[in-house]
């Protein structure tokens, strides 16, 4: 292809229908065919984000889809990122940089619609430099209360004339009603672009499903482009869930035994507004490491390592830890020399004090006092991709934080410090560096008195690639790839029938 590349919008009947997985799978299938492809999501709402090489913050799902497409992630792939700070407000990140905090009503009422030109411009720039761009929608395209200012589903599809494939999760039940209802709630101009459906997570004999697919086609005039079978652990980096994706993908069916005599138990505190909890995926990928999310003090008793993860609400996390007795339990652990790791907001929690006039505007708040660190929140957000060395091993990471840490003592540990068996750093992603992760786990096992031995050959990058290839295989083996390519190259077919009643006026 030359000139303006083809495109496709992967929408879903619901949130978590499988849009991210299908988008990544299509990207991996296409790049294996020699197609230059890029992912795109006009607007994402997630606390799991990533920093690109140019220092832009985007959703982690889009970064993983870029890896599936074997291209470098950029801000063009996710021009609008919303990072919730409460049930009613979010930080708006535009082209990788924060531009302010907005209420949901204020954003959907005015700001969102004004961003359509920016979103379309980013998409067209990607289409100008790639053979194909696979776009991911958000939620459902039939959210009739939000259609007027939509920039991520039918709004972008209509503006860029993208064909739309709707994914439905049959494992939840009601997939035929969901497909029909989604179609019937769209305006005629939007229905012209809805080319067909893709069934996700089917269990059993597909021939039993085929009569229903035929009836769906007779009702809507639209075919089903594939039936993807249910497979464990196919989620890439989560937007909102608490699934540990590599544990699910690589270790779910056959759990690899530990190399040493003991397993290592990791308890991750499920703090409010938890962000980038994907940091623990690399731990979960290790044979013999058991990772679980906890919210009660008694769940820390048998843990060999407690992780306080990132959060978009450091002060709120401190309050939550104290209310639930987790703060006291963590302090007792530290006094006993039992391992604790704080990452980003979790690192800030472990320090002496937090001065916050930006995120919570709570002023000066006492931390847990386990590390000689004082944190002051700045309006400018730190977005960096640092590299360094720790525990004698090379480490890569990325930083996303408003809090600036003043380290007043302890032993150096990445950008943070270590005191005894308590470690703290702002670096996300550091545990993905294989040598460093193994060295860290050896230190944890020694401090915990466990005869745990890290596997010598676990490669996090290789496991990621294996995961993405499995997604590509799903599309290649279970979707009508010839028909998919025609959609991407030529757009929605002409003459798709209108399904009443359509969108309300």
């Amino acid at each position: 292809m030359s000139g303006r590349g083809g495109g496709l919008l992967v929408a879903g009947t619901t949130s978590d229908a499988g849009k991210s997985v299908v988008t990544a799978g299509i990207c991996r299938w296409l790049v294996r065919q020699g197609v230059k492809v890029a992912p795109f999501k006009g607007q994402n709402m997630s606390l799991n984000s990533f920093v690109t090489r140019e220092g832009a913050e985007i959703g982690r799902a889009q970064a993983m889809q870029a890896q599936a497409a074997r291209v470098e992630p950029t801000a063009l792939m996710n021009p609008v990122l919303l990072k919730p700070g409460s049930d009613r407000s979010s930080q708006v990140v535009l082209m990788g940089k924060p531009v302010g905090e907005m209420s949901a009503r204020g954003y959907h009422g005015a700001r969102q619609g004004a961003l359509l030109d920016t979103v379309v411009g980013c998409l067209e720039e990607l289409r100008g430099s790639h053979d194909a761009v696979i776009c991911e929608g958000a939620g459902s395209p039939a959210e009739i209360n939000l259609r007027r200012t939509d920039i991520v589903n039918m709004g972008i599809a209509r503006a860029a004339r993208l064909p739309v494939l709707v994914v439905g999760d049959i494992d939840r039940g009601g997939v035929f009603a969901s497909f029909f209802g989604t179609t019937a709630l769209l305006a005629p101009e939007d229905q012209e672009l809805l080319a067909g459906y893709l069934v996700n997570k089917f269990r059993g004999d597909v021939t039993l499903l085929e009569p229903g697919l035929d009836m769906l086609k007779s009702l809507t005039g639209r075919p089903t482009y594939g039936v993807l079978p249910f497979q464990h652990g196919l989620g890439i980096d989560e937007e909102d869930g608490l699934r540990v994706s590599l544990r699910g993908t690589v270790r779910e069916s056959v759990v690899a035994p530990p190399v040493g005599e003991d397993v290592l138990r990791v308890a991750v505190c499920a703090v409010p507004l938890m962000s980038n909890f994907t940091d623990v995926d690399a731990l979960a990928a290790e044979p013999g490491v058991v990772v679980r999310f906890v919210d009660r003090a008694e769940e820390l008793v048998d843990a060999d390592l407690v992780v306080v993860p990132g959060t978009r609400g450091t002060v709120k996390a401190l309050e939550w830890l104290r209310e639930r007795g987790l703060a006291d339990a963590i302090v007792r652990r530290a006094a006993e020399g039992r391992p604790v790791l704080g990452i980003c907001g979790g690192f800030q929690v472990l320090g002496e004090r937090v001065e916050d006039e930006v995120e919570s505007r709570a002023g000066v708040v006492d931390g847990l006092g386990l590390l000689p660190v004082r944190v002051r929140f700045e309006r400018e957000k730190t977005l960096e991709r640092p590299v360094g060395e720790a525990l004698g091993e090379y480490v890569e990471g990325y930083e996303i934080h408003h809090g600036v840490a003043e380290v007043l003592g302890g032993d150096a540990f990445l950008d943070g410090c270590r005191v005894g068996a308590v470690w703290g750093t702002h670096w996300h992603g550091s545990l993905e560096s294989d040598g460093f992760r193994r060295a860290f786990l050896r230190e944890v096992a020694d401090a915990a008195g466990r005869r745990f031995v890290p596997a010598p050959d676990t490669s996090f990058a290789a496991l990621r690639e294996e995961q993405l290839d499995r997604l590509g295989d799903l599309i290649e083996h279970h979707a009508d790839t010839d028909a998919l390519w025609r959609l991407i190259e030529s757009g929605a077919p002409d003459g798709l029938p209108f399904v009443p009643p359509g969108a309300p006026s």
Side-chain angles (χ1 to χ4, degrees), residues 103-137:
S103 69
R105 180 177 293 276
Y107 178 72
H108 288 290
R111 186 65 185 268
Q112 185 181 34
L115 292 172
L116 181 61
D117 288 346
T118 298
V119 170
V120 172
C122 291
L123 173 58
E124 292 307 308
E125 189 170 340
L126 286 173
R127 293 179 78 177
S129 56
H130 293 79
D131 298 328
V133 178
I134 308 303
C135 308
E136 180 187 345

Side-chain angles (χ1 to χ4, degrees), residues 449-473:
R450 292 287 185 187
R451 290 171 292 182
F452 168 84
V453 178
D457 57 353
T458 300
S459 166
F460 187 79
L463 293 176
R464 281 286 196 212
E465 280 298 301
E466 177 187 318
Q467 180 186 35
L468 294 170
D469 276 332
R470 289 180 67 203
L471 297 181
D473 291 344

Side-chain angles (χ1 to χ4, degrees), residues 387-409:
V387 297
E389 184 177 301
L391 305 180
E393 300 286 347
Y394 175 78
V395 190
E396 295 182 6
Y398 58 99
E399 295 185 56
I400 307 170
H401 54 92
H402 284 281
V404 176
E406 181 186 6
V407 179
L408 302 172

Side-chain angles (χ1 to χ4, degrees), residues 74-198:
T74 73
L76 291 173
M77 297 173 184
N78 181 204
V80 182
L81 173 64
L82 305 178
K83 303 193 73 174
S86 70
D87 290 341
R88 299 194 172 196
S89 68
S90 295
Q91 183 181 68
V92 181
V93 179
L94 179 62
M95 296 305 296
K97 303 296 181 183
V99 294
E101 197 89 11
M102 291 197 73
S103 69
R105 180 177 293 276
Y107 178 72
H108 288 290
R111 186 65 185 268
Q112 185 181 34
L115 292 172
L116 181 61
D117 288 346
T118 298
V119 170
V120 172
C122 291
L123 173 58
E124 292 307 308
E125 189 170 340
L126 286 173
R127 293 179 78 177
S129 56
H130 293 79
D131 298 328
V133 178
I134 308 303
C135 308
E136 180 187 345
S140 162
E143 290 170 349
I144 53 180
N145 56 315
L146 303 176
R147 176 62 184 90
R148 185 175 59 84
T149 56
D150 171 49
I151 63 172
V152 66
N153 290 307
M154 301 313 299
I156 186 71
R158 199 192 295 190
R161 303 306 300 169
L162 292 173
V164 178
L165 183 69
V166 178
V167 178
D169 180 355
I170 198 170
D171 197 48
R172 295 180 173 188
V175 74
F176 293 118
S178 297
F179 283 145
F180 183 86
T182 297
T183 308
L185 281 176
L186 298 180
E189 297 85 354
D190 291 341
Q191 288 195 27
E192 289 175 3
L193 298 170
L194 199 163
Y197 314 105
L198 187 74

Side-chain angles (χ1 to χ4, degrees), residues 326-395:
L326 286 158
D328 289 340
I330 292 170
V331 170
R332 284 195 300 272
R333 285 184 64 89
E336 295 165 359
R338 302 175 67 198
V340 177
L341 171 65
I343 302 174
C344 199
F347 167 41
Q348 296 166 6
V349 161
L350 299 181
E352 295 174 357
R353 73 180 192 195
V354 174
E355 183 181 339
D356 181 11
E357 298 292 351
V358 175
E359 195 172 75
S360 67
R361 299 185 180 135
V364 177
V365 177
D366 288 336
L368 300 189
L370 302 181
L371 294 174
V373 174
R374 295 177 181 177
V375 176
R376 185 185 68 260
F377 274 66
E378 301 285 359
R379 296 200 176 278
E380 189 74 19
K381 182 184 280 191
T382 298
L383 296 168
E384 294 180 355
R385 289 273 293 269
V387 297
E389 184 177 301
L391 305 180
E393 300 286 347
Y394 175 78
V395 190

Side-chain angles (χ1 to χ4, degrees), residues 2 28 31 142 149 171 179 185 197 252 302 313 342 374 423 441 472 484:
S2 60
R28 178 50 59 101
V31 76
T149 56
D171 197 48
F179 283 145
L185 281 176
Y197 314 105
E252 196 169 58
D302 67 343
R374 295 177 181 177
W423 295 266
L441 288 174
L484 272 181

Side-chain angles (χ1 to χ4, degrees), residues 18-25 41 61-62 65 136 236-237 239 471:
K19 297 184 291 292
S20 295
V21 165
V22 169
T23 300
K41 186 164 185 172
Q62 280 60 68
Q65 289 162 356
E136 180 187 345
I236 59 174
D237 287 5
E239 292 183 357
L471 297 181

